[in-house]
Amino acid sequence: MGCSSSATSPSGARLVVRYRAIVIVAWVAAAVLVAPGASRIAEVLTLDLPSATPTEAAQVRAALDAEFGRSAAKALAVVVDCPEGSGDAARQLAAGLTPVLRAQDFVADVLDGDSVLELRQPEHRAVLVAMSRPEYSDKLTSKVKDLRMQIGTVVASGGAEGCRALLTGEPVLESDVQQIAVDDAHRLERVALVPAAVILIYAFGSLGAALVPILTGVLALLLAVGGLAQVAEHVPLAVFVMPVVSMIGLGAGIDYSLLVTTRFREARARGDSPSDAAVQTTATAGRTVLVSGLCVAFGFGALSLTPTSETRSVGLAGLMVVSAAVLLSVTLVPAILATTAQWLDRPVWLSARLARWHGLGVWERWGTVIVRHRWWALLGGLAVVGLLVLPISQLEVGVPKQGWFPEGAESTEATALLTGANLEGELLPIEVIVRAPEGDRVVSVNRLRGLERFADSLAADPRVARVRGPVALRAGMSLLGYAA
């Protein structure tokens, strides 16, 4: 923020205006440089965030990594679903998909769902489980799109009419959530820009002036997303920061540049030249933008210091997008205004028509009414605010138990089929580590009875479908068989 502070001083403002061409070219070059990273933001954001605190789950995961080297291995499932009465079509299609899965460099083994899970599926459905290689754990989401295309090719050429092969698993769900979050953010941006543009055109009374805040908001968004893509290469960032960046980027970018543009037009109306008006605006309104941006940035900076990875992601994303909006508003916006002052009121025919609406003095009359009835206005405003915050009293904070997967996604539908068959836990099981005293082995003969009782106690829990472990590998097997 130091550079922006100097930009809002009179001398700094004069430098910005004097070298406005360089300022504009520099920001355009920055946008071009970050654009490739912004386009792949869906690939670098993640749902699998490391724990920032030493939780029990984090300790188990670390132990699995250090002692077994297998916590990174993940399961992907292909659910083949055919119309009822299609005979062996599902089994045949699953047999055709098995070589495709085995051919993937990130797949260690492919297991038949019926034999491994010991649960027979209906005739019209089959399940294949592909176990990944641990070294590919960080790259699995990027493999989903290509694997889906290969599966689709086999289904299309298999001649199994009406059959579908749906891919799911933690990496697949993460890939779908990534893409849907980014798509939703882009949809939000497109929806928000239209009413924002209409309001700005009416507020300024011209199209040319309204385009400056819109451009600033979009550019702040682009720069923040591109910067986040670079940061996410080194620091895991939550996928749901995209809507935060979209809302704050457009809001702050438009809001800050709106103030600067308004003050510039007021200076021009007083007779100042474009350069003088830009200098004066940057030294006054620019300082206001800087102070406001610093307050917001401090808030997001505090979030980035919290022990939870999700809130730290939001804090870092907000800090970047607000910083971009402030810097653009005190450098690029004055440079653009000083350069395009003669075009701000274009087109003339639109400005002339909007001038009639501005001449009605609606806001002046509104302000007069508010001042005259200030106490009623205050009570009415507080009542509206109270209604808006009332739902907070019913807010339940926590992790959603269900319904948080993206609706309509292939992975969600496949997960629903597995859930209906009580198999969803096979892809995301709860893992428990049992440690023996130093120098002893967990699977030694004198420990097997305790392991069996522990496994039986877990299996007796009504929330547990199945238990897999050293003494629960095969139904009906005796402890003597395990010992052997």
Side-chain angles (χ1 to χ4, degrees), residues 12 17 116 128 149 159 180 206 243 269 276 288 301 360 366 428 467 477:
V17 174
V116 171
L128 295 173
M149 291 177 62
I180 289 174
S206 71
D276 290 341
T288 302
L360 296 176
W366 172 256
L428 290 171
V467 176
M477 192 170 184

Side-chain angles (χ1 to χ4, degrees), residues 253-452:
I254 291 175
D255 184 38
Y256 293 155
S257 59
L258 171 62
L259 175 61
V260 175
T261 305
T262 300
R263 294 293 179 264
F264 176 83
R265 297 186 80 206
E266 290 174 354
R268 288 284 289 151
R270 292 193 300 266
D272 292 352
S273 67
S275 295
D276 290 341
V279 170
Q280 181 66 21
T281 298
T282 307
T284 54
R287 186 175 288 108
T288 302
V289 167
L290 176 62
V291 172
S292 174
L294 279 172
C295 293
V296 179
F298 279 132
F300 281 114
L303 276 181
S304 66
L305 299 177
T306 58
T308 306
S309 299
E310 290 80 3
T311 54
R312 286 196 300 182
S313 297
V314 172
L316 184 58
L319 187 60
M320 292 186 67
V321 73
V322 169
S323 299
V326 170
L327 289 173
L328 287 168
S329 297
V330 299
T331 56
L332 180 64
V333 173
I336 291 177
L337 293 174
T339 304
T340 63
Q342 65 271 30
W343 290 298
L344 291 181
D345 291 325
R346 305 289 178 86
V348 177
W349 63 267
L350 179 61
S351 299
R353 293 191 177 187
L354 289 173
R356 289 199 292 256
W357 288 93
H358 281 262
L360 296 176
V362 174
W363 295 113
E364 183 178 354
R365 289 199 296 273
W366 172 256
T368 302
V369 171
I370 293 297
V371 172
R372 185 176 300 164
H373 305 286
R374 58 181 69 92
W375 290 110
W376 286 111
L378 177 62
L379 292 175
L382 291 175
V384 171
V385 172
L387 289 175
L388 291 175
V389 301
L390 185 61
I392 295 179
S393 62
Q394 307 298 321
L395 181 66
E396 293 184 14
V397 179
V399 178
K401 297 180 177 63
Q402 59 184 4
W404 67 274
F405 290 138
E407 293 184 7
E410 175 187 313
S411 55
T412 304
E413 188 175 357
T415 302
L417 292 175
L418 290 176
T419 302
N422 201 25
L423 299 178
E424 76 280 8
E426 301 292 343
L427 299 182
L428 290 171
I430 296 174
E431 295 174 304
V432 180
I433 287 184
V434 178
R435 291 188 183 278
E438 191 71 28
D440 198 354
R441 299 175 67 237
V442 173
V443 291
S444 60
V445 175
N446 61 324
R447 300 288 177 190
L448 288 179
R449 177 66 63 186
L451 279 178
E452 183 184 47

Side-chain angles (χ1 to χ4, degrees), residues 192-193 196-197 200 212-218 220 248-259 325 329:
L193 278 175
L200 287 171
V212 177
I214 293 291
L215 173 65
T216 307
V218 172
I248 297 174
L250 288 178
I254 291 175
D255 184 38
Y256 293 155
S257 59
L258 171 62
L259 175 61
S329 297

